[in-house]
Amino acid sequence: MKPSLAKGTRDFTSLEVSRRKYIINILQKNFELFGFQPLETPSFENLSTLTGKYGEEGDRLIFKILNSSINEAKEDKKTQMLTDFQKALDKPFSAESLTDKALRYDLTVPFARFVAMNHGKLTFPYKRYQIQPVWRADRPQKGRFREFYQCDADVVGSESLWQEVDLVQLYLKSFAQLKVSVTIHINNRKILSGLAEYAGITDKLIDFTVALDKLDKIGKDGVVKELLERNISQESIDKLDFLFNQSNDALENLLQLKEKFVGNEIGLKGVEELEFVITQSLNLGIDIQNLVFDITLARGLDYYTGAIFEVKADEAQMGSIGGGGRYDNLTEVFGVKNIPGIGISFGLDRIYLVMEELNLFPEEAASNVEYLFANFGGEETSEALKLIIQLREKGISAELYPESAKINKQFTYAEKKGIKNLVFLGEEELKNNTVTFKNLEAGEQKTVSLEEFLNS
C-alpha cells in the first residue's frame, strides 16, 4: 500500500518545526509580557459543547467522532447503530447513537467551557493564552488546512474597552518582531446589528453578516446575489449600498454612520465603542494606516457581540493571518452569566507561509548543529565524546558521527545536515592538547588549544 497523507494535513521537516517554534516563541513571550497565562484543553470535546456556537456554516465544518460505545454495544443494538450509520452517510450526523464527541473547532469555545466550569476558582479579569491545534472539515487550499494551530489570547471578566486597545498593541508588537507588515481591520458587531435594524432586516442578521463577510472573496455583486438568495429584499439591499463605497478615513465613516443611526440605540453604541478604540490607539502612537475601520468585516460567527478584528499581511496574498473579537455572552450557553470576554488569535500556519514567501526567517530560526566531531575510532572517539559532553553542558549543540567512516563521507553528512563546523580530534590533537575544526560555510580550518576551543 502506497503511503499517503490525509487531505488538509502535513508533515513538518526539522527546518519547518524550528521555524514554527521561532514564531511560537515570539508570540508566547509577548503573551506573557502582556500578562496572559498559559492554558491547555483536550483535543476533543462533547459535541454539544461545540455545536450552535459557530453559525450554520461553522457547524458543518466540525469533525465529529464516531461514538466509541458502538464497539461495546450488544449485538442487536450494534446492528441497529451500524444501520443508522449507513443511513446517515447521505445526510449530516444527528443521531446521538452515532456521535457525541468532536475535535475542537477553535480554542475559544473550549476556553469558555473551561471558564464556566472553573469560574469560582479564577481571579477576574482572567487572562489566558493557548497554543494548540484545531481541526475543521474544510476544503483544503493554499493557507487553509484541516489541521492547524491557533495561538489565542483572551481576557474574560471585564467589559473595559481598554482591553481592545491593549490587544491591538499585542498584535502590532508581535508582528513587528516577526517583521511582518500588517493592517488590522476592525469593526463592531453592534454596528452590524444597527445596519440590520436600519435596513429593516433584524430577523436576517446572521444571513446578512455571513454574506457580507464574503465581500473580499466574491465582490459586491456576489454579496448582493447571496443576500437576495437569503430572501433579503432589494429595497433593504439598496439602503445598504453605501457599505460598498467607504472612504479611507475611519472617523469620517463613523460620522456617516452616526447620521444614519439616529434613534438606532444599538448602532450608536457600536459606533461609540469603535470610536473609543480607534481614538485611543491613535493616541498611543499607532499609525492610522495600520488600523482600518472595515464596515464590511463581519466574521460570520454567532458569538461576537462587540469589537471584531481581522489581521492581513500587507505584502502577501494570504487572507487573514489573525482575528478575534468580543463575546460577552459566550459562557451563558454553559449556564454561567455575566462573564464578558474578548480574545484574538494568531494564525500560525498562515503566518509561516507569509514569512516563508517574504523570506523573513532569520538564520537562527533553523536549529542546525554547531559541531560535528569526526569519528576516527578507538581512543580518539572516547575523548571526542568527553569533549562533546562539555560543549552540551555549555548549551552548545554537538554530535559525534556514529561510525568510523571515510572522512569524505563524514564531510558529506555535515554539509547535507547544515552543520556549521567539522571537528577533528585525532592522535596529533590528543598529544598536543589541541582541537582542529573546519568552518564549512567559510571553508576555513584552524587548530587551537583545547581551553581556547571550549571558551570560544
Side-chain angles (χ1 to χ4, degrees):
M1 185 183 206
K2 187 177 180 181
S4 62
L5 279 170
K7 283 186 178 180
T9 65
R10 297 149 295 160
D11 292 320
F12 297 109
T13 65
S14 59
L15 176 62
E16 290 168 330
V17 171
S18 297
R19 287 177 168 181
R20 287 165 68 86
K21 281 185 177 179
Y22 171 77
I23 298 171
I24 288 172
N25 288 341
I26 286 177
L27 297 183
Q28 185 171 346
K29 180 180 178 182
N30 282 322
F31 288 157
E32 294 179 358
L33 278 175
F34 278 67
F36 294 88
Q37 299 176 315
L39 174 72
E40 291 188 357
T41 59
S43 59
F44 61 90
E45 297 273 352
N46 290 324
L47 181 59
S48 58
T49 297
L50 303 181
T51 52
K53 315 302 189 302
Y54 307 107
E56 181 183 337
E57 292 194 0
D59 280 355
R60 285 201 295 265
L61 300 181
I62 294 174
F63 265 114
K64 301 173 182 66
I65 301 172
L66 184 64
N67 194 332
S68 59
S69 62
I70 190 170
N71 296 317
E72 304 165 6
K74 294 180 179 179
E75 284 304 316
D76 57 341
K77 187 175 181 182
K78 184 185 294 187
T79 300
Q80 182 59 50
M81 292 170 76
L82 289 171
T83 300
D84 291 342
F85 176 75
Q86 189 64 38
K87 290 178 180 178
L89 290 176
D90 299 323
K91 60 185 179 182
F93 291 111
S94 58
E96 289 185 5
S97 61
L98 295 178
T99 176
D100 60 0
K101 295 178 180 63
L103 295 177
R104 61 172 172 246
Y105 177 93
D106 71 353
L107 300 178
T108 305
V109 172
F111 172 56
R113 188 265 309 151
F114 169 83
V115 172
M117 291 178 64
N118 297 278
H119 64 281
K121 307 171 189 175
L122 301 175
T123 300
F124 293 106
Y126 174 57
K127 303 174 73 172
R128 85 84 170 85
Y129 74 86
Q130 194 169 345
I131 302 173
Q132 287 187 280
V134 298
W135 294 267
R136 295 183 186 179
D138 212 343
R139 185 177 181 180
Q141 52 187 285
K142 183 182 179 182
R144 179 170 293 178
F145 308 99
R146 289 179 170 176
E147 178 186 62
F148 57 98
Y149 269 70
Q150 284 188 339
C151 309
D152 284 13
D154 290 74
V155 187
V156 293
S158 171
E159 295 180 338
S160 171
L161 294 177
W162 288 108
Q163 303 292 356
E164 279 87 331
V165 176
D166 207 36
L167 290 173
V168 169
Q169 297 285 331
L170 175 57
Y171 260 144
L172 292 177
K173 179 175 175 58
S174 299
F175 281 114
Q177 289 185 357
L178 292 168
K179 294 182 170 53
V180 177
S181 176
V182 298
T183 300
I184 300 176
H185 294 249
I186 184 171
N187 197 4
N188 192 295
R189 194 72 172 188
K190 295 183 180 72
I191 289 177
L192 294 170
S193 297
L195 288 170
E197 182 176 321
Y198 170 73
I201 53 171
T202 303
D203 59 331
K204 296 282 186 179
L205 174 61
I206 299 300
D207 289 320
F208 164 57
T209 56
V210 166
L212 192 63
D213 195 42
K214 299 176 182 177
L215 180 64
D216 60 340
K217 299 174 185 174
I218 62 178
K220 175 183 176 181
D221 292 341
V223 171
V224 170
K225 180 182 177 184
E226 185 161 333
L227 290 173
L228 290 170
E229 290 172 351
R230 291 174 180 267
N231 297 317
I232 293 176
S233 70
Q234 185 64 55
E235 181 183 358
S236 295
I237 294 173
D238 289 342
K239 290 191 73 173
L240 297 170
D241 187 69
F242 74 96
L243 296 178
F244 307 107
N245 301 291
Q246 295 291 292
S247 75
N248 293 325
D249 188 324
L251 298 179
E252 180 183 316
N253 292 333
L254 287 171
L255 181 60
Q256 182 186 35
L257 281 178
K258 280 183 181 178
E259 295 171 354
K260 293 184 180 296
F261 284 166
V262 172
N264 185 329
E265 185 177 344
I266 191 168
L268 288 173
K269 181 65 174 174
V271 169
E272 177 187 330
E273 290 179 2
L274 190 55
E275 193 171 37
F276 177 89
V277 174
I278 292 175
T279 301
Q280 294 303 329
S281 295
L282 296 178
N283 287 343
L284 291 171
I286 289 177
D287 192 327
I288 188 61
Q289 301 299 320
N290 296 125
L291 187 61
V292 173
F293 168 34
D294 185 350
I295 198 171
T296 65
L297 175 60
R299 297 184 64 84
L301 300 179
D302 286 352
Y303 54 67
Y304 288 137
T305 57
I308 311 168
F309 299 105
E310 190 163 88
V311 183
K312 295 184 179 181
D314 295 333
E315 299 170 347
Q317 296 297 317
M318 188 53 69
S320 64
I321 58 175
R326 179 166 284 280
Y327 46 89
D328 286 343
N329 303 320
L330 191 58
T331 56
E332 288 189 16
V333 300
F334 300 114
V336 179
K337 296 183 178 181
N338 302 321
I339 302 184
I342 182 170
I344 60 173
S345 180
F346 293 79
L348 172 64
D349 301 272
R350 288 190 175 186
I351 294 170
Y352 181 101
L353 290 173
V354 168
M355 293 182 66
E356 184 177 53
E357 179 183 333
L358 301 177
N359 195 28
L360 296 176
F361 285 108
E363 184 179 339
E364 60 267 24
S367 59
N368 293 333
V369 174
E370 190 75 22
Y371 295 105
L372 172 70
F373 281 70
N375 191 329
F376 295 110
E379 182 187 358
E380 292 93 335
T381 302
S382 177
E383 293 301 316
L385 278 171
K386 291 178 183 178
L387 191 51
I388 287 171
I389 289 171
Q390 293 182 67
L391 288 173
R392 289 171 177 169
E393 287 178 349
K394 290 175 172 287
I396 300 169
S397 58
E399 65 173 282
L400 173 73
Y401 190 81
E403 296 145 359
S404 179
K406 290 183 179 180
I407 197 65
N408 285 344
K409 186 175 182 180
Q410 300 189 50
F411 260 112
T412 300
Y413 173 81
E415 289 171 348
K416 286 186 175 180
K417 213 177 166 188
I419 296 173
K420 297 177 181 178
N421 300 286
L422 184 58
V423 182
F424 307 102
L425 195 63
E427 184 179 344
E428 191 69 22
E429 283 80 12
L430 288 178
K431 186 170 71 174
N432 297 319
N433 208 30
T434 59
V435 175
T436 299
F437 65 96
K438 183 170 185 175
N439 184 301
L440 299 180
E441 293 177 347
E444 298 174 352
Q445 180 171 312
K446 58 182 177 179
T447 300
V448 298
S449 69
L450 181 60
E451 183 181 0
E452 183 181 348
F453 177 73
L454 286 172
N455 293 322
S456 61

